[in-house]
Amino acid sequence: MDGIDIATLRELFILPFLTGLVLAVLLPLLGCYLRLRGEWLAALGFSHIAAAGSVLGLPLGLPTTLTATVATTLAALANALIARMGNSQFALMLVLGWAGALFLAANTNQGEVISEGLLRGQLYFSTAGHLVGALITLAGFLLSLHWLNRRLLIQRFFPDYYAANGRTNWHHELLFVVLLVPAVVLGTLAIGALPAFALFFVPAWVAFGLVRSWKHGLWLSAIIGASVYLLAFFIALLMNQPFGPLLALLLALTSVLRLVGPIKGQNSY
Amino acid sequence: MNSDTQALTLARFKSVCAGYRRPIVGPVSFEIMPGEILGLSGPNGAGKSTLLKALTGVARVFSGTIERRPDLSVAHHRQRPELPPELPLKGRELLALFKVDLSAMPLLLTPLLDKPLSEFSGGEFQFLQSCACLGSNSNLVILDEPTNNLDVQAIEALSGLMDCVGSDRSILLVSHEQSFLSRHCTRLVELA
């Protein structure tokens, strides 16, 4: 770091660092609920739609955050309308988003650079808007956690509870989407589609293999996400390595922790 | 039926034909009164579970009506409840969703309280779900084949819990075990 003073470092890296840190807590927590709902591929499908939507902003002359949010919201609405459990629709979104992003990129000025950044990660180009968006989404999630947690768990274990009692479930479904969409968009724009997916998927998967209670699962997911993020950020900075792939790699390595977890029955996957 | 009785009735099926893409059961008429354990019996495929799902809004009512008392609240134990793969949730966390009073639960449930669902057997999960429904504050508990996969002790514990249902609540029970129905039900509706 010769020749770079602390003030410069702070100016260059404090904003990306904080943005990534907030997302490293938020995304694993939402990942727990995606696993609860059996929708663990949703983050990857939505993140590729967000990437395609972001690149679409270039020829339209619109802010990429806006077009990414609109595209992801439309995908989330389509998913809610078909109301089908499972991951097939998210696999289709992944394919469409990936192809769309690369096609748009190939036919747009600056598109290739942008799309590569989105797919691989570009944390150091995070903006203050990304940080504010991430903080608002995290605050919204934490404030609604108690209310949302009970309803999502009841829906998983007693699927017709709401219909049987003449209650609609769209309140918590909508809230979950309202939290998920900005998390996916910000994760994709700030960290990259695949590293963001790794934050949604791996910490929850590892934590669920290690702990025995739901509350501990949430805590451990957030801790794994934040710890691995800190490690990846500083290794990438000090050793001049690409952040996104390094984060994904380190997260993947945490999967060995599952080997020391409690023995699971036939229900593991 | 006088107006007082009508006002008390938790739910009333009036010539209900229910099914999914097409009707598979009905027309069926019966009512569920507070304090009773009403059994639905009949051969496999008679549409017992479909009638329950018509009440919970999952199956479609093609003709007839289901009238519900305005304050009706329902807890539904499904036949073959799905045990989700690898969710770190303890038995007590699932019961807490319905604010179940653990002191009113059978002793047989105690070892399951701090066990994660991923280590439950199918029978244990079935038992836990039945207890969650019976321990909830719903005034109608629907139990669809609750004795499936249960051993003798669990069936006895479940029976004890069912017998404690107060005069303001009801159970709608489907079981293929005629002896279980005969032992618990205050009234039986036979589906052809």
Side-chain angles (χ1 to χ4, degrees):
Chain A
M1 291 292 157
D2 293 347
I4 302 179
D5 61 23
I6 295 296
T8 309
L9 270 179
R10 185 184 299 146
E11 190 177 320
L12 281 175
F13 297 115
I14 195 77
L15 194 64
F17 172 75
L18 291 176
T19 305
L21 186 58
V22 174
L23 291 171
V25 173
L26 174 64
L27 271 50
L29 286 170
L30 285 168
C32 292
Y33 291 92
L34 289 174
R35 289 193 76 77
L36 171 72
R37 294 158 62 89
E39 296 178 339
W40 56 268
L41 197 56
L44 192 58
F46 285 140
S47 64
H48 279 74
I49 294 290
S54 178
V55 182
L56 184 63
L58 296 174
L60 295 177
L62 294 170
T64 53
T65 306
L66 174 68
T67 50
T69 304
V70 170
T72 312
T73 303
L74 290 175
L77 287 174
N79 179 58
L81 283 176
I82 60 174
R84 185 173 295 162
M85 277 190 71
N87 287 292
S88 302
Q89 68 272 29
F90 301 121
L92 188 62
M93 285 182 201
L94 164 62
V95 172
L96 285 172
W98 178 82
L102 293 183
F103 264 121
L104 286 166
N107 294 284
T108 312
N109 281 343
Q110 296 292 310
E112 296 225 31
V113 177
I114 298 284
S115 68
E116 185 167 331
L118 290 170
L119 297 177
R120 289 179 50 185
Q122 51 175 9
L123 180 65
Y124 304 130
F125 298 104
S126 297
T127 65
H130 293 154
L131 176 58
V132 171
L135 280 170
I136 290 173
T137 311
L138 179 62
F141 174 79
L142 294 176
L143 287 172
S144 61
L145 182 58
H146 182 69
W147 183 85
L148 192 61
N149 179 65
R150 178 169 182 264
R151 279 155 183 78
L152 291 176
L153 284 169
I154 285 178
Q155 182 152 321
R156 184 69 174 99
F157 289 100
F158 301 92
D160 48 2
Y161 174 81
Y162 292 98
N165 288 288
R167 298 180 194 173
T168 56
N169 60 359
W170 67 265
H171 303 92
H172 65 252
E173 286 291 334
L174 180 65
L175 178 59
F176 187 68
V177 169
V178 164
L179 294 168
L180 184 63
V181 167
V184 168
V185 171
L186 292 166
T188 305
L189 295 178
I191 298 178
L194 203 95
F197 168 68
L199 274 174
F200 275 109
F201 175 76
V202 178
W205 178 60
V206 171
F208 284 15
L210 294 175
V211 300
R212 297 167 65 88
S213 85
W214 184 246
K215 196 181 289 183
H216 292 164
L218 294 176
W219 273 108
L220 188 57
S221 296
I223 288 169
I224 290 172
S227 308
V228 173
Y229 167 79
L230 290 172
L231 196 60
F233 189 90
F234 287 111
I235 290 177
L237 196 62
L238 297 173
M239 302 182 74
N240 196 26
Q241 292 298 309
F243 169 75
L246 184 61
L247 175 67
L249 179 65
L250 290 176
L251 283 168
L253 288 175
T254 62
S255 62
V256 298
L257 291 172
R258 284 177 59 92
L259 298 175
V260 301
I263 297 169
K264 297 290 177 186
Q266 69 281 14
N267 306 313
S268 301
Y269 73 112
Chain B
M1 187 177 289
N2 63 38
S3 59
D4 286 348
T5 310
Q6 282 189 355
L8 283 174
T9 305
L10 283 173
R12 181 177 298 113
F13 285 64
K14 284 183 172 175
S15 304
V16 170
C17 289
Y20 302 95
R21 290 184 178 175
R22 58 183 178 77
I24 58 173
V25 60
V28 179
S29 299
F30 62 88
E31 63 281 336
I32 308 163
M33 302 299 295
E36 73 173 347
I37 300 180
L38 178 64
L40 292 182
S41 67
N44 289 340
K48 304 182 291 294
S49 296
T50 302
L51 272 184
L52 302 184
K53 288 177 182 172
L55 181 60
T56 64
V58 174
R60 182 177 162 194
V61 176
F62 286 86
S63 62
T65 55
I66 301 175
E67 294 173 359
R68 301 161 57 107
R69 204 170 77 181
D71 67 340
L72 179 71
S73 56
V74 179
H76 181 198
H77 168 269
R78 285 185 163 194
Q79 188 179 9
R80 292 187 294 273
E82 182 203 357
L83 181 51
E86 199 182 65
L87 284 181
L89 200 84
K90 290 180 181 176
R92 70 169 69 243
E93 288 177 302
L94 190 133
L95 295 174
L97 295 176
F98 290 124
K99 301 180 173 65
V100 173
D101 176 9
L102 295 181
S103 65
M105 290 291 109
L107 282 177
L108 196 66
L109 196 62
T110 306
L112 303 181
L113 293 177
D114 290 312
K115 189 173 172 178
L117 298 188
S118 53
E119 295 173 14
F120 273 50
S121 69
E124 286 173 332
F125 186 58
Q126 177 118 346
F127 181 57
L128 179 76
Q129 282 230 327
S130 298
C131 290
C133 291
L134 286 163
S136 73
N137 60 8
S138 301
N139 51 20
L140 176 61
V141 178
I142 299 175
L143 299 176
D144 193 354
E145 300 287 2
T147 57
N148 276 359
N149 305 313
L150 297 194
D151 57 25
V152 177
Q153 290 90 345
I155 291 175
E156 282 306 311
L158 182 66
S159 296
L161 209 50
M162 288 172 63
D163 290 340
C164 293
V165 168
S167 59
D168 54 340
R169 305 176 72 205
S170 297
I171 296 175
L172 183 54
L173 175 66
V174 164
S175 177
H176 65 275
E177 289 188 35
Q178 201 60 41
S179 59
F180 190 75
L181 287 171
S182 306
R183 177 178 165 189
H184 292 288
C185 293
T186 48
R187 199 155 55 90
L188 270 176
V189 173
E190 179 76 27
L191 298 179

